[in-house]
Amino acid sequence: MTYSIFAGTMADMSWMEVQKSIERGAVALIPSGVIEQQGPHLPTGTDVYGSHLICNKMRSELNKSHIECLITPPFYWGINHVTGAFPGSFTSRKVTVKYVLLDMFECLYRWGIQHVFLVDIHGDQANGAALYEAIVEGRKNYGLDIRSVISNWIADDLGLDKEDENFLVFDVPLPDLPESAYLDIHAGESSTAGMLKYFPKLVDTQVADKLEPTNLSLEDLKLWQSGGEIARNMTPQGYFGAPAAYSHLNIEEIDFYEGFAKYASLEMKHYLNKTRT
């Protein structure tokens, strides 16, 4: 089995198909992530595969309500401040991230797109700041309705107002998760289980099964987020959590990708119906 991050995107369409879709009022979805280390058992493209998967699921949901979507090629030249000391973690300058995205926004604007939704699942704060600046400037420069799609609990953590025009905040109920003694932060049990469900050939379960949990606290997490050699010394194998516990999770109940797509699509339907009437 092979996996393509271009599957279902504009990269697999002719320019005339793109034009006709825009003429029918299509909105644009931008899958966003980074290429970074994800422990010894997951591929460095985990975030990009995930955001691409979510966008395809969102398009399927939105199509049911006759909302047409164009998915752009994924954007993956982001910032890896936390994991930047590991080989395989590509990182870009903030100005690079900002202006590549602005170039993408300008193209979408020139082609006639009116609504752009950025779907990013990379948690690095430095990367998030760059995305935010690009969105703010893109809205100002082109008059495009550009929004980053985030959950209500992420918005709450960041202290964001749900009415902030730079975001589309969706409510998602958190399932009852099995108790864990370990923080599941990076390349842990949930990421491993999700990737195994959708991209099984990319997960090395033989390695994952042998990985000991990281016994790190919330205070450790704050230090780990300093990044660089500090993060690498704290998590020398590149994971923060308990990857081997993936087999204990009921992925059908806690499917992050499915949940994100479902509840984000509901909010997007509500928002677009309100905006277009």
Side-chain angles (χ1 to χ4, degrees):
M1 182 183 295
T2 58
Y3 312 103
S4 169
I5 59 170
F6 284 162
T9 75
M10 296 165 63
D12 280 353
M13 301 169 65
S14 72
W15 75 268
M16 296 187 76
E17 289 173 322
V18 171
Q19 177 176 290
K20 289 177 182 177
S21 183
I22 294 172
E23 290 172 351
R24 291 191 295 266
V27 302
L29 304 179
I30 301 180
S32 174
V34 290
I35 306 298
E36 68 169 337
Q37 70 79 14
Q38 293 276 347
H41 61 298
L42 295 177
T44 58
T46 291
D47 281 358
V48 184
Y49 281 113
S51 61
H52 171 260
L53 174 65
I54 289 170
C55 284
N56 274 284
K57 286 180 172 290
M58 287 177 67
R59 181 175 59 183
S60 296
E61 286 292 324
L62 292 166
N63 280 347
K64 296 174 185 177
S65 297
H66 308 291
I67 296 174
E68 188 163 350
C69 299
L70 282 169
I71 303 175
T72 73
F75 172 78
Y76 49 84
W77 295 115
I79 298 173
N80 282 313
H81 169 70
V82 176
T83 65
F86 289 85
S89 290
F90 284 94
T91 192
S92 301
R93 291 169 294 172
K94 186 176 185 179
V95 67
T96 302
V97 175
K98 178 179 174 180
Y99 283 107
V100 171
L101 280 171
L102 282 172
D103 286 344
M104 291 180 71
F105 297 156
E106 182 180 11
C107 289
L108 296 171
Y109 164 73
R110 286 192 292 103
W111 300 338
I113 292 286
Q114 295 183 1
H115 301 283
V116 180
F117 299 96
L118 182 76
V119 177
D120 182 79
I121 60 172
H122 177 46
D124 195 300
Q125 292 184 1
N127 187 71
L131 300 184
Y132 180 80
E133 288 188 16
I135 289 171
V136 170
E137 194 163 328
R139 292 178 66 91
K140 178 181 177 181
N141 290 355
Y142 310 120
L144 269 175
D145 179 23
I146 310 169
R147 293 169 181 264
S148 178
V149 183
I150 62 172
S151 68
N152 62 303
W153 49 275
I154 293 293
D156 291 342
D157 284 345
L158 296 176
L160 297 175
D161 184 344
K162 288 186 66 173
E163 302 304 317
D164 189 319
E165 66 179 5
N166 301 296
F167 297 92
L168 183 76
V169 180
F170 63 93
D171 292 324
V172 54
L174 292 177
D176 293 329
L177 300 176
E179 290 188 13
S180 174
Y182 308 101
L183 294 175
D184 183 22
I185 302 298
H186 181 76
E189 56 264 45
S190 58
S191 293
T192 304
M195 286 295 289
L196 187 60
K197 176 179 178 179
Y198 292 103
F199 309 100
K201 296 295 184 181
L202 300 180
V203 181
D204 192 332
T205 54
Q206 291 185 341
V207 171
D209 289 338
K210 298 175 183 177
L211 296 176
E212 295 293 330
T214 55
N215 188 18
L216 298 170
S217 66
L218 285 172
E219 287 301 314
D220 292 325
L221 173 60
K222 294 177 183 178
L223 182 60
W224 183 76
Q225 289 173 330
S226 301
E229 291 299 331
I230 292 175
R232 187 169 182 181
N233 288 335
M234 292 180 69
T235 55
Q237 293 195 72
Y239 64 92
F240 195 134
Y246 72 89
S247 60
H248 302 304
L249 296 181
N250 185 337
I251 190 59
E252 300 307 322
E253 291 184 1
I254 58 168
D255 187 330
F256 167 76
Y257 305 121
E258 189 71 34
F260 190 119
K262 175 182 177 180
Y263 292 105
S265 297
L266 287 173
E267 182 61 32
M268 194 177 297
K269 291 175 190 177
H270 172 73
Y271 172 71
L272 290 172
N273 287 335
K274 180 177 64 176
T275 303
R276 290 173 165 180
T277 55

